[in-house]
Amino acid sequence: MTETLPPLLLIGCGKMGGAMLTGWRERGLGETIVVDPFANGPIPRATLLRDPAEIPRDFAPAAVILATKPQEAPATLPAYARFAGGAVFVSIMAGKTVGFMQGLLGAGAAVVRAMPNTPAAVRQGFTVAFAGPGVTAAQRSLADTLLAATGEVDWVEQEGLLDPVTAVSGGGPAYVFLLAELLEAAAVEQGIPPDLARRMSRATVAGSGALLAASAEDAAQLRKNVTSPKGTTERALAVLMAESAWPQAISQAIAAATARSRELAG
Ligand SMILES: NC(=O)C1=CN([C@@H]2O[C@H](COP(=O)(O)OP(=O)(O)OC[C@H]3O[C@@H](n4cnc5c(N)ncnc54)[C@H](O)[C@@H]3O)[C@@H](O)[C@H]2O)C=CC1
Ligand SMILES: O=C(O)[C@@H]1CCC=N1
């Protein structure tokens, strides 16, 4: 995997676009242009432009990665329609459908819709992707290479699955970080000094994630391994696992995020 990547055009270099660019840099960037009116420059091994009008006429990207906010799409995308002839568009924008993007880029535009997550910044991301009509095998393979530079990739054949994917793995890191926040606050409430509470909570979430990643056991079994009969964890889980507690809260949260992803489509 040392071959240099083909010419790339990244639109939007914020938290997610920047994380993906880091992965590509480690993978071996070829000629790369980033368009972002507000990003801090310079960007190592890429050319940062503030306006698509500054892109050299002879620049021919193999992929155009769309990483601005979904709400920016109608104003942003039409300026890139001229690349539809040769490039595959890889969108990571929540909610925005392939059909919506083709409406802005041209009906024949080859569009991959993907949903990564922020652990991409440490190459521990998980991305689910969908290839729209007209995406060639070579374009899908290039999209896979780009997305795999930041972690694991899976492909689905039904675009609608991207909405619950967005809710679960796209936003999932936020729920895990919330758990770390809440553990820290509860530790302080029980009298643990704030610095120790912070370090304990972070290490517990990170260590559990590492154990989960390294283990072949189900999450349920790893949970049971912690839970001694008549012990302390059992008491905590009786609170958390009550039907009206986490089972219902998580289910409602994922349903709400899925619905929001569908709302963002239009
Ligand atoms: N943050 C996350 O966890 C995830 C975000 N996404 C998607 O990634 C996209 C970007 O999200 P974030 O990186 O979190 O947001 P962000 O706000 O950090 O990045 C957006 C970037 O777009 C730039 N931008 C604004 N207008 C622009 C324009 N006209 N042309 C080019 N660049 C422009 C901004 O300057 C900013 O750097 C969103 O569509 C979001 O749905 C997808 C998966 C996870
Ligand atoms: O909150 C959002 O809309 C984006 C998509 C998934 C994570 N962040």
Side-chain angles (χ1 to χ4, degrees), residues 21-257:
L21 185 62
T22 300
W24 303 333
R25 202 178 283 118
E26 287 169 13
R27 172 70 179 65
L29 276 181
E31 188 182 6
T32 302
I33 292 179
V34 175
V35 181
D36 192 318
F38 312 110
N40 292 324
I43 296 179
R45 278 186 264 159
T47 303
L48 174 61
L49 303 177
R50 300 300 178 186
D51 191 305
E54 296 167 25
I55 300 171
R57 295 309 298 176
D58 61 352
F59 182 60
V64 181
I65 301 89
L66 305 170
T68 55
K69 293 287 187 195
Q71 292 84 350
E72 305 283 346
T76 307
L77 267 55
Y80 302 95
R82 70 180 172 98
F83 297 108
V88 60
F89 291 88
V90 180
S91 166
I92 63 162
M93 293 183 290
K96 291 296 174 212
T97 61
V98 168
F100 177 87
M101 289 180 270
Q102 286 176 325
L104 297 167
L105 295 165
V111 180
V112 167
R113 179 177 164 194
M115 182 44 55
N117 60 15
T118 55
V122 290
R123 301 189 76 171
Q124 303 271 321
F126 194 98
T127 301
V128 179
F130 167 79
V135 173
T136 65
Q139 288 175 328
R140 180 174 157 143
S141 167
L142 172 59
D144 191 78
T145 298
L146 296 174
L147 299 169
T150 58
E152 207 173 321
V153 183
D154 211 336
W155 290 78
V156 291
E157 302 305 321
Q158 273 176 276
E159 183 176 5
L161 293 179
L162 264 295
D163 298 310
V165 161
T166 300
V168 175
S169 60
Y175 323 144
V176 175
F177 299 136
L178 174 63
L179 175 61
E181 289 175 60
L182 294 175
L183 278 176
E184 182 180 334
V188 170
E189 228 172 73
Q190 294 299 325
I192 294 175
D195 177 59
L196 178 58
R198 179 172 186 275
R199 288 186 291 119
M200 275 171 60
S201 307
R202 289 173 73 100
T204 300
V205 170
S208 304
L211 177 60
L212 188 63
S215 175
E217 291 189 305
D218 285 344
Q221 185 56 50
L222 293 171
R223 166 174 56 76
K224 285 175 191 154
N225 293 348
V226 185
T227 314
S228 308
K230 300 197 190 331
T232 60
T233 312
E234 197 177 77
R235 288 288 175 88
L237 290 179
V239 177
L240 297 175
M241 292 176 74
E243 188 47 36
S244 60
W246 279 16
Q248 216 170 73
I250 300 286
S251 160
Q252 285 175 0
I254 296 304

